[in-house]
Amino acid sequence: MSDAMIRVPAEVRDRLAVIAESRGTSIRSLVQEFAETTLTAEERRERAERARAYMAEHFGVDVTDEESAAMGRRLREAFARQEDAAA
């Protein structure tokens, strides 16, 4: 595998260094993990469609766009409350 340089402002590099150090890893590994685990909008849509198809086939549940959006809001709110409680 060949290496590539990615130019970022010094403050971004410094922030990445702090995050990497706190995780006991390198900036290189941190960036690699981000690239391997972060989904594009299209990948998220594909996963959502597969999940909907699975739920319909295996559980007989058809999730509407409105229900999906409402659940997304509820999850974001729950995560925000959890983060607030942890702070």
Side-chain angles (χ1 to χ4, degrees):
M1 170 181 17
S2 63
D3 288 340
M5 290 189 87
I6 300 173
R7 295 179 59 88
V8 297
E11 51 276 359
V12 172
R13 179 209 54 220
D14 295 345
R15 177 72 180 146
L16 289 170
V18 168
I19 295 168
E21 183 178 346
S22 75
R23 294 183 181 189
T25 190
S26 65
I27 292 175
R28 177 188 180 132
S29 293
L30 188 70
V31 171
Q32 183 173 346
E33 176 188 345
F34 174 79
E36 291 172 348
T37 61
T38 303
L39 301 176
T40 65
E42 180 60 27
E43 290 167 331
R44 288 191 306 274
R45 278 191 291 278
E46 289 170 0
R47 281 195 181 187
E49 285 306 314
R50 286 197 310 266
R52 284 181 181 186
Y54 183 90
M55 289 174 59
E57 179 181 343
H58 294 278
F59 302 110
V61 175
D62 290 315
V63 179
T64 67
D65 288 342
E66 293 79 19
E67 291 169 328
S68 180
M71 182 55 71
R73 284 190 300 276
R74 290 177 62 193
L75 286 169
R76 284 188 296 278
E77 290 167 2
F79 285 129
R81 283 192 305 274
Q82 185 178 16
E83 287 178 357
D84 289 344

